[in-house]
Amino acid sequence: MGKTESSGQTVVVADAGPLIHLDELGAIDVLADFTRVLVPVTVWDEVNRHRPDALRLPFLEKLDAPPPGHELHAIGRLYTLHHGEWQALALCAQFPGSRLLTDDTAARLAAKALNIAASGTIGILLRAMRCGRHDKTQTLALLKAIPAQSSLHIRASLLEQIIAEVSAQ
Amino acid sequence: MGKTIQAELPERLMEDAQALVDNGWAGSVNELLAEALRRYLESHRDDLAERFIRDDVEWGLRGQD
């Protein structure tokens, strides 16, 4: 499976949520469009316990995270982050310009405070359409499958709005 | 007037909570649990989750990377 022609030079660090949700949707391949997909050890172990199939693709890189710096330590405690989220943010700090992939609101707040870009499962699915990996029909099918096929929580009316916006593209 | 609840918590968590109280960093375990829950709820609000998903849509459809 090759990278699509419009893929950027983006290093991403994955938290457990997007790995699990994308695999539940049968769409883990969309991560292949990133330059590197780094998975902190704690996140890897967590996904391996709950959804080992999500780790089957060879481009996922299991990495040790550095100890959190003072700023991350304070922010992580403030937002009561889990260990995997701490590690993911520590890896983002180690790779300047990288993007955190997470569906956790507190982790996204922490990323914002640390000036780290972050995106969730829905953003990744829509990016795959922008990059040409999936067409609009495939993307709409994946979005519509979210409530029944994945454990990603999203208000039904918000999902309908997103589906309408994608349909209008 | 607070509401009384019954919850089962990991022993280690309760020991850490009690240590904070014993060292004067919290008035009581009740206060500490309420503060922890308040902080959790503040950082997991519905409107925040929705805003982040809308950011996702913008990046996913019109981002540069």
Side-chain angles (χ1 to χ4, degrees), chain B residues 15-27:
Chain B
E15 287 171 4
D16 288 349
Q18 189 60 55
L20 278 180
V21 174
D22 292 346
N23 291 327
W25 294 108

Side-chain angles (χ1 to χ4, degrees), chain A residues 81-111:
Chain A
L81 299 185
H82 297 157
H83 196 42
E85 294 158 356
W86 283 74
Q87 285 201 344
L89 285 164
L91 269 183
C92 284
Q94 190 182 4
F95 290 85
S98 61
R99 179 175 285 270
L100 174 68
L101 304 182
T102 183
D103 287 314
D104 185 87
T105 305
R108 290 191 68 152
L109 273 175

Side-chain angles (χ1 to χ4, degrees), chain A residues 80, chain B residues 1-5 7 9 14 17 20-21 26-43:
Chain A
T80 57
Chain B
M1 183 70 180
K3 181 170 182 173
T4 302
I5 62 162
L9 300 171
M14 286 307 296
L20 278 180
V21 174
S28 67
V29 170
N30 281 346
E31 274 181 30
L32 187 151
L33 291 176
E35 174 67 7
L37 181 59
R38 185 185 64 75
R39 287 191 181 210
Y40 184 88
L41 292 174
E42 273 180 3
S43 59

Side-chain angles (χ1 to χ4, degrees), chain A residues 17-162:
Chain A
L19 292 173
I20 292 170
H21 299 143
L22 289 170
D23 191 57
E24 289 170 338
L25 293 167
I28 195 84
D29 64 293
V30 298
L31 295 176
D33 277 335
F34 293 106
T35 310
R36 293 180 72 184
V37 184
L38 313 180
V39 183
V41 170
T42 304
V43 171
W44 186 283
D45 292 345
E46 182 185 347
V47 175
N48 197 37
R49 273 197 304 277
H50 300 291
R51 191 102 187 159
D53 277 0
L55 301 170
R56 69 188 179 279
L57 296 180
F59 55 79
L60 300 177
E61 299 179 48
K62 181 180 180 181
L63 274 190
D64 280 315
H70 291 305
E71 193 180 15
L72 171 55
H73 192 74
I75 287 172
R77 289 177 75 92
L78 181 65
Y79 291 114
T80 57
L81 299 185
H82 297 157
H83 196 42
E85 294 158 356
W86 283 74
Q87 285 201 344
L89 285 164
L91 269 183
C92 284
Q94 190 182 4
F95 290 85
S98 61
R99 179 175 285 270
L100 174 68
L101 304 182
T102 183
D103 287 314
D104 185 87
T105 305
R108 290 191 68 152
L109 273 175
K112 206 173 182 66
L114 294 163
N115 204 25
I116 292 169
S119 302
T121 297
I122 288 181
I124 301 164
L125 290 174
L126 300 186
R127 179 186 183 273
M129 184 174 80
R130 167 161 57 84
C131 292
R133 175 165 290 271
H134 288 165
D135 62 22
K136 185 158 81 175
T137 304
Q138 290 171 306
T139 304
L140 286 170
L142 288 168
L143 291 172
K144 287 173 185 171
I146 286 174
Q149 207 174 309
S150 83
S151 51
L152 177 64
H153 299 293
I154 177 170
R155 187 165 53 80
S157 59
L158 176 58
L159 182 59
E160 284 170 17
Q161 288 172 31
I162 295 168

Side-chain angles (χ1 to χ4, degrees), chain B residues 32-58:
Chain B
L32 187 151
L33 291 176
E35 174 67 7
L37 181 59
R38 185 185 64 75
R39 287 191 181 210
Y40 184 88
L41 292 174
E42 273 180 3
S43 59
H44 289 78
R45 294 192 335 242
D46 279 0
D47 60 326
L48 276 175
E50 180 162 333
R51 195 182 83 202
F52 286 137
I53 289 174
R54 290 187 187 282
D55 288 348
D56 271 1
V57 173
E58 183 61 28

